């Protein structure tokens, strides 16, 4: 059995490879400075399987080894170790942390520090990884890349990992950054409470002002939505694009809008889909008009009537603002499928003559006055959804339908209620997390018998599911103290055709 021992000399810094065979011993010419005791010899030929600092040798004892000892000749490497990669130099704390961060997100200072550490290894690369001589380190094949901080044998793995990180960081092609003329929404939350929510238009040279600090529009332009910015006073604002629901709630209003929760229910009542033709009476601020425009699509159409000129202009302005913001954000045009008409729908017969509507939406003070005119242009089986503020208007509507003998059946009267909930970790008044309280079990002290013993065994083994802690942090869950109150009553009316009245002239003769 062959044993190989490398003796390291501190005085002359040389290695002596000794081969000891049980039957026959062969020694090369001795080295003058090889008088080391057996306890100071290092049995570390080849690379240790461990990659940490425990298996390292002293750097001064390894540099220039085997050059000052006469008659020294390197022996062939062990079988199976010729293809093993060399040991790498241990990573510094900076390298370990920077390896976990994508290359594109590293700052310039970190890149400069990493460059200085690589230069410390040697100007000409005379010392390889972990102090090995370059002559003993296998060289990379021609044209093969080398991984930073490691050997060429890790180049493929490092390049593959960097490729995955780059593909994850690259945004999809359909994401559009903020541009001038875009509509942005800023949010600021503190202690699970929405302190600020404001919608504004981005412009070159503009500035956002608030009591939590200011933010220049130039810092926002060019960034993707969902970015967090820091104001001049250090508060963090979330910047993103508003949805259609948020745009409706935050746009400039004239009259009270139809709230999105009610509009969604009305759209489900009317069953509006792509390509439908819808009549709306009461444009207001344009909330219902916008959602109807999206529902009917580019192949449908919406006719919106408004009596007051100021409400008519406000609805048109909000509709056009959303169209412009959509074109900037999505780089495609919003369908121009709405006609705003500044007239009373009861006297606008000429504007709707010859048209049949799939659905009708009424948001008026007295809808029973407009129904005798509008319902004749509603398709048979179509739905007319009415938005009313109080229950007395509902009574007047039903009484007007009954007295006018309109072929409309009231299918549903509902009120949409949304309840917001608060689910958050339990905190003390000082802001620290409250301790988790273990559930208490009502177990009598004198429980005897088989059932009590079984329960005790389950509790000791930890197999009972109801006593297991799902998480270590306690939570509170309750309805939010700020709730939306009543908004409107929704009435669903459906047009029907009454059964024909059959005359029976022979009934009297048959009875006689």
């Amino acid at each position: 059995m062959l044993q190989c021992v490398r003796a390291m000399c501190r005085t002359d810094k040389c290695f002596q490879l000794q081969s000891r065979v049980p039957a026959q011993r062969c020694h090369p010419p001795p080295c003058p400075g090889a008088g080391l005791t057996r306890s100071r010899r290092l049995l570390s030929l080849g690379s240790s399987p461990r990659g940490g600092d425990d298996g390292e040798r002293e750097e001064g004892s390894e540099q220039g080894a085997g050059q000052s000892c006469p008659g020294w000749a390197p022996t062939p490497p062990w079988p199976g170790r010729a293809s093993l990669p060399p040991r790498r130099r241990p990573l510094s704390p900076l390298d370990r942390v920077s390896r976990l961060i994508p290359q594109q997100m590293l700052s310039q200072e970190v890149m400069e520090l990493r460059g200085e550490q690589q230069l410390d290894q040697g100007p000409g690369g005379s010392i390889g990884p972990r102090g090995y001589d370059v002559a003993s380190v296998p060289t990379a094949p021609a044209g093969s890349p080398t991984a930073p901080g490691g050997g060429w044998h890790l180049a493929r793995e490092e390049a593959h990992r960097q490729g995955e990180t780059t593909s994850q960081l690259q945004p999809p092609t359909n994401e559009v950054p903020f541009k001038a003329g875009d509509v942005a929404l800023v949010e600021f939350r503190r202690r699970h409470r929405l302190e600020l929510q404001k919608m504004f238009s981005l412009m070159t040279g503009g500035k956002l002002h608030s009591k939590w600090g200011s933010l220049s529009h130039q810092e926002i332009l060019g960034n993707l939505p969902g970015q967090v910015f820091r104001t001049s006073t250090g508060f963090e604002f979330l910047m993103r694009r508003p949805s259609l629901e948020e745009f409706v709630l935050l746009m400039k209003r004239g009259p009270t809008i139809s709230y999105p929760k009610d509009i969604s229910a009305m759209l489900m009542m009317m069953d509006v889909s792509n390509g439908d033709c819808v009549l709306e009476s009461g444009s207001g601020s344009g909330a219902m008009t916008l959602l109807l425009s999206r529902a009917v699509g580019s192949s449908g159409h919406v006719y919106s009537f408004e009596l007051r000129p100021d409400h008519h202009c406000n609805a048109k302005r909000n509709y056009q603002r959303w169209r412009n913001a959509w074109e900037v954000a999505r780089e495609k045009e919003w369908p121009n499928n709405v006609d705003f008409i500044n007239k009373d729908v009861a006297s606008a017969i000429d504007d709707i003559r010859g048209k049949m509507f799939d659905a009708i939406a009424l948001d008026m003070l007295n809808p029973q006055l407009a129904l005798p005119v509008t319902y004749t242009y509603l398709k048979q089986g179509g739905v007319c959804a009415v938005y009313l503020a109080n229950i007395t208007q509902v009574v007047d509507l039903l009484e007007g339908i009954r007295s006018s003998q309109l072929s409309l059946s009231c299918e549903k009267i509902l009120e949409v209620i949304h309840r917001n909930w608060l689910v958050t970790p339990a905190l003390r008044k000082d802001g620290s997390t409250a301790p988790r309280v273990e559930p208490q079990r009502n177990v009598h002290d004198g429980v005897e018998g088989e059932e009590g013993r079984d329960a005790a065994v389950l509790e000791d083994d930890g197999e009972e599911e109801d006593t297991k802690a799902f998480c270590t942090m306690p939570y509170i869950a309750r309805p939010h103290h700020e709730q939306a109150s009543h908004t409107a009553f929704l009435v669903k009316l459906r047009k029907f055709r009454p059964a024909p009245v059959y005359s029976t002239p022979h009934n009297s003769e048959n009875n006689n």
Side-chain angles (χ1 to χ4, degrees), residues 14-36:
C14 65
F15 288 107
Q16 181 177 4
L17 186 65
Q18 301 178 357
S19 300
R20 297 186 298 179
V21 185
Q24 182 180 1
R25 301 182 179 222
C26 299
H27 299 279
C31 179
L36 289 178

Side-chain angles (χ1 to χ4, degrees), residues 44-116:
S44 58
L45 181 61
S47 60
S48 173
R50 295 175 296 179
D53 297 337
D54 298 337
E56 297 181 6
R57 295 183 301 273
E58 298 181 2
E59 296 181 1
S61 62
E62 293 177 357
Q63 184 175 1
Q67 297 179 2
S68 61
C69 183
W72 181 85
T75 58
W78 290 359
R81 283 188 175 264
S83 60
L84 292 179
R87 295 178 61 189
R88 296 183 297 168
R89 184 182 299 274
L91 297 178
S92 64
L94 177 64
D95 288 336
R96 294 176 182 175
V97 175
S98 59
R99 286 290 184 88
L100 302 176
I101 304 175
Q103 193 77 11
Q104 294 80 359
M105 299 179 62
L106 294 178
S107 62
Q108 186 65 26
E109 298 178 356
V110 176
M111 298 298 295
E112 292 177 358
L113 290 175
R114 291 183 61 180
E116 293 177 0

Side-chain angles (χ1 to χ4, degrees), residues 295-512:
V296 300
S298 57
S299 58
H301 208 83
V302 178
Y303 294 88
S304 183
F305 289 86
E306 177 56 50
L307 179 60
R308 294 183 52 172
D310 53 344
H311 295 174
H312 170 75
C313 295
N314 190 26
K316 290 182 65 176
R317 182 169 55 252
N318 289 332
Y319 176 74
Q320 190 60 39
R321 185 186 181 189
W322 173 257
R323 289 192 65 208
N324 297 338
W326 178 271
E327 186 174 357
V328 174
R330 304 299 179 93
E331 296 183 342
K332 59 182 178 180
E333 188 178 0
W334 180 274
N336 188 14
N337 53 6
V338 179
D339 285 346
F340 291 93
I341 304 172
N342 188 15
K343 287 183 181 180
D344 187 5
V345 69
S347 60
I349 301 177
D350 297 336
D351 296 290
I352 60 177
R353 182 178 285 113
K355 299 181 178 66
M356 293 300 294
F357 299 101
D358 298 282
I360 296 178
L362 301 180
D363 184 6
M364 306 169 58
L365 186 62
N366 297 309
Q368 64 274 8
L369 301 179
L371 274 177
V373 178
T374 57
Y375 103 102
T376 56
Y377 299 96
L378 179 63
K379 292 181 179 179
Q380 184 174 326
V383 174
C384 175
V386 187
Y387 186 95
L388 298 173
N390 52 68
I391 198 64
T392 57
Q393 290 178 296
V394 177
V395 175
D396 295 340
L397 172 65
L398 298 180
E399 179 62 21
I401 294 174
R402 186 196 64 81
S403 60
S404 301
Q405 296 182 356
L406 302 179
S407 300
L408 294 171
S409 63
C410 181
E411 294 186 354
K412 186 185 299 183
I413 302 173
L414 59 89
E415 179 185 10
V416 180
I417 300 295
H418 283 185
R419 175 176 292 180
N420 298 326
W421 277 73
L422 176 65
V423 181
T424 180
L427 301 178
R428 295 192 181 100
K429 291 184 178 181
D430 58 354
S432 60
T433 305
R436 183 178 179 86
V437 179
E438 296 295 334
Q440 298 180 359
R441 300 176 58 86
N442 296 328
V443 181
H444 298 286
D445 297 334
V447 173
E448 298 288 342
E450 186 176 357
E451 295 181 358
R453 289 193 300 270
D454 294 342
V457 171
L458 289 176
E459 186 175 358
D460 294 339
D461 295 342
E463 298 176 357
E464 199 165 0
E465 295 293 335
D466 57 349
T467 60
K468 285 186 177 181
F470 179 76
C471 57
T472 58
M473 182 177 295
Y475 276 73
I476 58 173
R478 58 174 175 81
H480 203 278
H481 62 277
E482 296 179 354
Q483 297 290 340
S485 59
H486 164 79
T487 54
F489 292 100
L490 308 180
V491 183
K492 180 180 181 182
L493 305 174
R494 187 179 297 275
K495 182 180 179 180
F496 66 93
R497 182 178 179 181
V501 179
Y502 294 99
S503 60
T504 55
H506 303 288
N507 286 345
S508 58
E509 297 178 1
N510 294 336
N511 292 334
N512 295 332

